[in-house]
Amino acid sequence: MSMFLNNFFQADTAALDPIYFSSSNGIPSESKLATYMNRQNVGTPTYGISSSGHSSNLDSTLSIKQAQVTPQSPEFIPQLSTSPNFYAPYHQQTTTVTSTVNGKTISPNTLLKQTASTQQPQQQQQQQQQQHLNGMKTSVNGLTSTSNMNIAPAAPITPLKTNGRSSLLSNENSPTNQLDPQQSQQQQQPQQQPQQPHDKTPPRMTPHNSPIPTAIPPGVHQENVGGTIYFYMTANHTSGQTSCSVVNSETVLNHHSSVNVVSGAVVTNNSTPTSMLYGGVGGHHVYPGPASNVISMQPKSQLSSAFFMPDDMRMEIQARNEIANLMLEAHDNTNPTNPAVMEVGNYHSLYPLEPQTIHPKLPCPSSTYKATNSTTGIKYCLRRLHAFRLPSLKCMTLVDKWKQLQHSNVVQLREVFTTKAFGDNSLILIYDYHPGSQTLFSKYFTPSQDSNGYTDPFGGEARPFSHKSNLQRTVNGPLLPESTIWAIIMQLTAGLRAIHQAGLACRQLDPTKIIVTGKRIRFSFLGISDLVSFDPNHANQLAVLHMHQQEDLTQLGKLVLALACRCLQSVQRDNFQTSIELVSRQYSSDLRNFILFLFNSAQRRSVTDLMPMIGARFYTQLDALQSQCDMQEDELAKETENGRLYRILIKLGCINERPDFNLDVTWSETGDRYMLKLFRDYLFHSVTEDGRPWLDHAHIVQCLNKLDAGTMEKVQLMSRDEQSILIVTYAELKNCLENAFSELVAQAPS
Ligand SMILES: Nc1ncnc2c1ncn2[C@@H]1O[C@H](COP(=O)(O)OP(=O)(O)OP(=O)(O)O)[C@@H](O)[C@H]1O
């Protein structure tokens, strides 16, 4: 690898030898680059190279390439408007891509000047020869087309090894680090080199205030050719390296492989400031890492957490997705709870959520299913009341009220309709579906597995062999921490408050009708009690409502007492006193008073009366929720980034190695696409110096970010046969990507 690079860098000397100027481009016909060159796609720059060994003269090369490039190489100019910050502090410049063949560096000057020389071939030839004689880096054995761009100053080139793989050189090894006179001058004035705070690359050059140097550095020769000013290193200053700047027209050669073309600006080989590397469209997107307030909340961070969400969060989301995607096998009749039909109204793919039950409060059996809306594909919770007729159409006003009730602690009712699909007259209620939910009953009032004859002495808060532990343990598990009970209370009262304020009553504060999804508590299947017990002949509906609301508060008291004792029987009249004593013993007097207040049906109560009893615990809950929001937002920021990179990868994947496009089997191997293919190798197939796979997630992410931002940093791409090198900016690669993908999109069936 290093030998190869040595060859590559030493190639500059060979580049000066006129024998390398071939009459044709000299590229082996089987070379991808040859194909690429010959195609010269409109809209993108082309990069020509030739292999060594073809002796020819400069004239012939020029004359051939003139015809190729002049009409067909439209300039690629990055859109300043899209990312003004990206370019703002920098002079407009033009960059050029060089190529190297067989270890020989190809300067774009040749082709560039060829383009210009359509009017002045003589001058062009002189200029080429002058460049050559002055030891400047120039085209060898082939040619390179240029693409003029407004760019930021030269960024470090990252050379790589390909042969189907790539490896990286440090920036220090990069040829661009070999200083040109301007650069060395600036290095003597370190105070003039503002380095961006987050710039990772060592500063090499400073943005110049003036586009034209006011004083030419010693050892640099200036020449005006046809209005274009060239700056050449004089022989005694080249010292094995060459540097040349061309102003107002095009080219600056700073190093072996770093070629900047400047339009009306001095090329200064600045280190790339962070604002360039990460500026622009992509730059502002880059995830800056977790905020300090979030990092302290997270469990001990692993390396993967820099890119991905924590495992537990991912697993929770995946589990919910899996549940939401559950489907019944077609014609699976083995389970009696499976629906007889799979389609009801506008809903299909019914999936049972519970065994068929006869709820004590309902006059008819009911079933609950997950169902998918046929129009939108969204999943809902479908509740079927078997053989049920609406008592009156007047109750639809209540249905409308319920449908309008939107609250984070309420499962929203979406639709109510009747159907004969099940062979009876069923009432169907459609609610929002919250996958992975369980009822409060199954979570807190179901005997725990270890309670069946064996109590885990280390489980929960109970400690073995103490009187207290026996008291704290119930058949349903250990008593709940008081904070958990208050967290449930706050969510229940919040939902209840919204219900009462909407002029409705819950009427089913039953642990089987309250669902828990993660830490969220929601009232489920609201409105059903109103429908099944609707009496259109009742004179005073408002009085009935107040009565039901008072009943809600009593039911809430019972539920909290049951939760505190972790036993549904604790609310029975006979057990009430004992249960209150247990609460007094185990929990704060606030909780006890809260329960007693709700049980006192002699006085008129309201949900808002409960707020002072909750007191400052409300702030604790709010704090916990906001902290959770902070964490989730941080994870979202990461995933936003991942989504952005994913979209770039999709584009690359659609283009690279495409078997054929418009019947052109070479489409993905030529033109812009060839560069993208080499870039893909650089991204994923880099190898270490000893040829082992070099896997670095950060490298991939960083390169994709630069591609997305279209930075001016150069990247050195090598053909798989290691015979050719392309030096391109990420801006060009981005342009190639957009062009190639647009071509695909344009041809894709709509
Ligand atoms: N909106 C919803 N989204 C997702 N799952 C829900 C929703 N509502 C209820 N569930 C789940 O559906 C299952 C069945 O609920 P359902 O109330 O029918 O059960 P149940 O305890 O058998 O009550 P019932 O005796 O009234 O039938 C429960 O596991 C519950 O968690």
Side-chain angles (χ1 to χ4, degrees):
M1 167 68 192
S2 53
M3 231 176 76
F4 170 81
L5 287 165
N6 283 341
N7 289 341
F8 169 56
F9 295 131
Q10 284 159 8
D12 202 40
T13 322
L16 307 180
D17 194 333
I19 68 161
Y20 289 106
F21 289 99
S22 62
S23 57
S24 66
N25 63 24
I27 301 173
S29 59
E30 67 278 10
S31 160
K32 302 288 188 195
L33 285 176
T35 328
Y36 175 62
M37 251 183 57
N38 291 334
R39 293 200 164 248
Q40 301 237 353
N41 269 6
V42 174
T44 55
T46 56
Y47 311 87
I49 53 174
S50 67
S51 61
S52 60
H54 294 256
S55 63
S56 182
N57 60 45
L58 183 59
D59 285 343
S60 56
T61 309
L62 289 175
S63 59
I64 288 169
K65 293 307 155 191
Q66 252 174 308
Q68 280 186 346
V69 175
T70 308
Q72 295 185 23
S73 294
E75 291 180 352
F76 158 53
I77 301 172
Q79 297 296 306
L80 287 175
S81 57
T82 56
S83 54
N85 296 341
F86 191 92
Y87 300 98
Y90 302 97
H91 306 300
Q92 287 193 334
Q93 300 182 7
T94 314
T95 194
T96 307
V97 176
T98 60
S99 304
T100 302
V101 178
N102 290 338
K104 297 170 182 63
T105 308
I106 310 298
S107 157
N109 289 46
T110 313
L111 201 56
L112 185 74
K113 289 296 134 191
Q114 288 158 10
T115 310
S117 70
T118 47
Q119 279 130 30
Q120 299 177 331
Q122 206 64 29
Q123 279 184 352
Q124 175 65 35
Q125 184 182 346
Q126 284 171 3
Q127 181 256 321
Q128 290 283 351
Q129 287 167 347
Q130 182 71 45
Q131 289 173 355
H132 170 65
L133 290 171
N134 282 325
M136 71 177 281
K137 184 182 183 74
T138 186
S139 178
V140 182
N141 277 347
L143 48 107
T144 308
S145 75
T146 63
S147 57
N148 297 339
M149 308 181 205
N150 295 317
I151 62 160
I157 298 174
T158 315
L160 78 167
K161 181 178 177 185
T162 51
N163 193 14
R165 297 158 168 209
S166 318
S167 75
L168 300 182
L169 282 183
S170 67
N171 287 331
E172 287 72 29
N173 293 336
S174 164
T176 49
N177 284 342
Q178 299 165 26
L179 298 176
D180 65 12
Q182 293 167 358
Q183 181 183 348
S184 51
Q185 252 197 350
Q186 285 153 5
Q187 282 197 342
Q188 288 160 14
Q189 301 167 346
Q191 72 280 7
Q192 292 177 6
Q193 298 183 17
Q195 188 170 0
Q196 299 295 320
H198 304 297
D199 192 357
K200 292 179 193 160
T201 56
R204 289 192 302 278
M205 281 174 280
T206 310
H208 211 289
N209 286 335
S210 162
I212 309 285
T214 46
I216 301 169
V220 174
H221 168 71
Q222 175 186 341
E223 190 171 322
N224 187 322
V225 181
T228 299
I229 305 165
Y230 293 86
F231 297 92
Y232 303 119
M233 294 283 291
T234 49
N236 54 348
H237 277 81
T238 53
S239 60
Q241 294 179 33
T242 58
S243 182
C244 167
S245 302
V246 180
V247 181
N248 274 344
S249 232
E250 280 85 16
T251 313
V252 170
L253 278 175
N254 288 313
H255 290 292
H256 297 279
S257 55
S258 168
V259 183
N260 297 328
V261 182
V262 179
S263 181
V266 166
V267 172
T268 50
N269 220 3
N270 299 287
S271 61
T272 307
T274 316
S275 59
M276 272 180 57
L277 281 176
Y278 300 110
V281 177
H284 299 155
H285 293 179
V286 173
Y287 176 63
S292 55
N293 64 318
V294 171
I295 198 99
S296 56
M297 295 178 208
Q298 287 169 337
K300 231 170 173 34
S301 67
Q302 299 167 338
L303 191 59
S304 63
S305 69
F307 300 107
F308 306 114
M309 66 176 68
D311 283 352
D312 51 350
M313 188 187 265
R314 182 172 43 79
M315 277 153 59
E316 203 179 309
I317 291 172
Q318 283 175 344
R320 277 186 207 163
N321 290 348
E322 200 178 331
I323 292 169
N325 288 329
L326 283 173
M327 301 267 283
L328 279 181
E329 293 288 324
H331 313 299
D332 177 7
N333 297 321
T334 50
N335 187 343
T337 62
N338 287 354
V341 292
M342 296 296 280
E343 200 166 337
V344 180
N346 199 25
Y347 298 85
H348 65 84
S349 304
L350 269 61
Y351 187 91
L353 291 178
E354 43 103 42
Q356 181 180 320
T357 52
I358 299 177
H359 194 275
K361 282 190 185 169
L362 295 180
C364 57
S366 64
S367 311
T368 310
Y369 304 104
K370 169 175 75 84
T372 307
N373 184 290
S374 306
T375 315
T376 62
I378 295 174
K379 296 176 174 62
Y380 290 93
C381 180
L382 184 152
R383 181 83 162 171
R384 173 190 167 208
L385 304 185
H386 300 221
F388 178 81
R389 275 186 189 280
L390 275 178
S392 160
L393 276 181
K394 281 187 190 169
C395 63
M396 290 312 283
T397 51
L398 279 175
V399 167
D400 287 340
K401 273 190 174 182
W402 280 117
K403 286 203 303 197
Q404 283 163 18
L405 179 61
Q406 202 178 349
H407 192 269
S408 54
N409 297 112
V410 165
V411 178
Q412 196 164 359
L413 176 66
R414 297 290 175 181
E415 202 180 345
V416 177
F417 59 91
T418 56
T419 182
K420 290 193 163 73
F422 294 96
D424 61 359
N425 198 9
S426 292
L427 184 73
I428 303 292
L429 298 105
I430 303 291
Y431 293 91
D432 282 350
Y433 174 61
H434 299 281
S437 302
Q438 62 182 134
T439 60
L440 211 58
F441 176 78
S442 65
K443 188 168 170 90
Y444 294 119
F445 300 107
T446 310
S448 55
Q449 285 178 353
D450 63 341
S451 65
N452 192 13
Y454 172 73
T455 303
D456 177 7
F458 301 103
E461 298 202 327
R463 282 184 297 162
F465 316 119
S466 76
H467 174 64
K468 194 181 173 197
S469 71
N470 290 332
L471 284 177
Q472 284 185 335
R473 179 161 285 280
T474 75
V475 71
N476 298 324
L479 294 182
L480 296 173
E482 183 161 342
S483 58
T484 305
I485 299 174
W486 281 112
I488 297 171
I489 289 173
M490 276 181 258
Q491 297 192 55
L492 290 177
T493 50
L496 204 58
R497 179 172 169 272
I499 293 168
H500 288 188
Q501 279 194 337
L504 296 161
C506 176
R507 302 182 65 183
Q508 48 181 30
L509 260 147
D510 184 319
T512 65
K513 294 294 160 281
I514 294 166
I515 58 169
V516 189
T517 321
K519 290 179 184 165
R520 184 70 62 83
I521 312 278
R522 289 184 180 94
F523 290 102
S524 184
F525 301 132
L526 290 169
I528 291 182
S529 299
D530 283 340
L531 293 180
V532 296
S533 63
F534 187 76
D535 180 3
N537 301 319
H538 208 289
N540 193 345
Q541 294 289 348
L542 195 64
V544 174
L545 173 69
H546 285 153
M547 186 189 77
H548 289 317
Q549 288 181 345
Q550 290 300 306
E551 183 60 20
D552 280 351
L553 291 167
T554 307
Q555 291 298 325
L556 178 65
K558 288 183 179 177
L559 183 61
V560 175
L561 181 60
L563 278 168
C565 300
R566 200 135 185 210
C567 172
L568 286 177
Q569 286 72 36
S570 61
V571 299
Q572 289 171 359
R573 192 179 294 271
D574 296 345
N575 298 333
F576 180 76
Q577 200 52 46
T578 328
S579 302
I580 287 292
E581 281 170 15
L582 186 141
V583 172
S584 308
R585 260 198 325 272
Q586 300 294 334
Y587 298 105
S588 68
S589 56
D590 280 355
L591 187 63
R592 177 177 163 273
N593 293 340
F594 183 87
I595 295 167
L596 289 177
F597 173 81
L598 290 171
F599 267 91
N600 185 2
S601 53
Q603 62 175 343
R604 188 176 172 77
R605 299 145 297 163
S606 106
V607 192
T608 41
D609 295 336
L610 303 175
M611 192 61 192
M613 299 188 195
I614 294 169
R617 292 178 191 88
F618 172 82
Y619 296 110
T620 314
Q621 174 82 352
L622 190 65
D623 179 51
L625 281 176
Q626 286 176 343
S627 300
Q628 194 186 359
C629 281
D630 286 347
M631 257 186 73
Q632 288 173 344
E633 263 180 30
D634 194 69
E635 296 308 325
L636 189 63
K638 257 185 245 174
E639 294 310 318
T640 308
E641 280 309 285
N642 287 340
R644 185 172 59 79
L645 298 181
Y646 164 80
R647 283 193 290 277
I648 305 174
L649 288 175
I650 290 276
K651 287 184 179 178
L652 277 172
C654 288
I655 296 162
N656 282 330
E657 319 255 6
R658 195 173 192 87
D660 72 63
F661 172 62
N662 270 350
L663 300 178
D664 180 0
V665 288
T666 61
W667 181 81
S668 63
E669 302 293 301
T670 55
D672 294 342
R673 285 81 55 187
Y674 183 58
M675 268 206 287
L676 294 174
K677 179 180 162 179
L678 297 189
F679 180 66
R680 192 270 315 269
D681 288 348
Y682 172 70
L683 261 186
F684 298 116
H685 302 159
S686 296
V687 292
T688 57
E689 286 201 5
D690 54 353
R692 288 181 294 157
W694 187 67
L695 303 176
D696 185 347
H697 196 139
H699 163 69
I700 296 171
V701 170
Q702 193 182 40
C703 290
L704 286 174
N705 279 336
K706 287 173 185 171
L707 176 69
D708 195 27
T711 69
M712 293 306 127
E713 182 171 332
K714 294 179 187 117
V715 57
Q716 186 169 299
L717 308 176
M718 188 183 291
S719 66
R720 290 181 176 182
D721 59 7
E722 296 191 5
Q723 297 300 298
S724 315
I725 290 175
L726 294 176
I727 298 170
V728 290
T729 61
Y730 283 98
E732 279 180 298
L733 284 169
K734 180 178 182 175
N735 189 47
C736 293
L737 183 70
E738 296 305 331
N739 286 344
F741 193 72
S742 305
E743 273 184 61
L744 288 180
V745 172
Q747 294 297 318
S750 51

